Amino acid sequence: MIAVAGGKGGSGKTTTTLGLARALSRRGAPVVAADADWDLPNLARLAAETGAEPPRADPGGRADEAAARTVLDAIRDAEPLRPDRSAPTVLAAPDAPRSVDAGATFDALAGATPDGAPVLIDSPAGASPDVAAPLRAADRALIATPLRRAALRDAAKTAAIARRLGCPAVGAVVIGEASVPDRVASLLGCPVLGAIPDGGGAPLSDPAVRSAYDDLASRLCETAAASGWQVA
């Protein structure tokens, strides 16, 4: 399980979670992508806007929107998750997040997923207790950040929090850039595995962005294998 984490909102966590999940699917992996940002959930909506996954019904309960499967649905079902290898299984946030134990939920999600299936968690921003739950449950963190001084500083704090919670960063991905200075890896304390170019208003539809996420998936798998654990 990999927690896609970052310092602040807008750092590219959700786009990276979905873009990387789709790239791993293109490698033949049965991927699960789950929304852990339960106060500001948008993973299922982004998936619906940019692919075939159904959108999650909004808080008003609009009947004309198909509801996506939630994280709670996945762990309550009698049958374990069976991710499709052609596209990631996207799990939305629960409808009443404050009534749910997030830590227990993500621990249970790992048990509901077939062995060898990568699970990507779209983590909340900042350093609140909500951020700690997916980091404690995950094996590794992937740090997503723009190449801005304040964002990099916050990303370094997030990487440090992840290490303290037993979820060291497998690497970082820089959003909105074609290349990354060497000093970024030193600042974050982990290798930079990818740079995702600016794809404009619809980045996941941009061929260059798709190619960059494919490269990120390859480097992530290589790094994991060299460290003795498997992504796909």
Side-chain angles (χ1 to χ4, degrees), residues 21 24-25 28-34 53 69 74 77 79-91 109-120 231:
L24 290 169
S25 285
V31 187
V32 175
E53 295 89 347
R69 194 178 190 187
D77 290 348
E79 293 292 328
L81 281 169
R82 301 186 187 281
D84 187 339
R85 290 180 180 272
S86 64
T89 296
V90 176
L91 300 177
L109 179 61
T113 306
D115 291 342
V119 180
L120 303 181
V231 174

Side-chain angles (χ1 to χ4, degrees), residues 69-194:
R69 194 178 190 187
T70 72
V71 178
L72 290 184
D73 294 333
I75 66 174
R76 286 173 177 166
D77 290 348
E79 293 292 328
L81 281 169
R82 301 186 187 281
D84 187 339
R85 290 180 180 272
S86 64
T89 296
V90 176
L91 300 177
D95 294 323
R98 290 302 164 194
S99 65
V100 179
D101 183 332
T105 297
F106 288 109
D107 286 340
L109 179 61
T113 306
D115 291 342
V119 180
L120 303 181
I121 306 296
D122 181 17
S123 301
S128 70
D130 292 335
V131 178
L135 289 175
R136 285 196 176 100
D139 303 295
R140 298 289 191 277
L142 177 67
I143 307 299
T145 180
L147 199 60
R148 297 193 298 268
R149 181 175 299 178
L152 288 168
R153 183 174 60 246
D154 290 334
K157 292 178 181 177
T158 300
I161 292 170
R163 285 193 295 272
R164 289 199 298 271
L165 294 174
C167 182
V170 64
V173 54
V174 174
I175 308 301
E177 303 290 338
S179 61
V180 183
D182 293 340
R183 64 180 182 276
V184 172
S186 299
L187 174 65
L188 299 179
C190 61
V192 176
L193 300 182

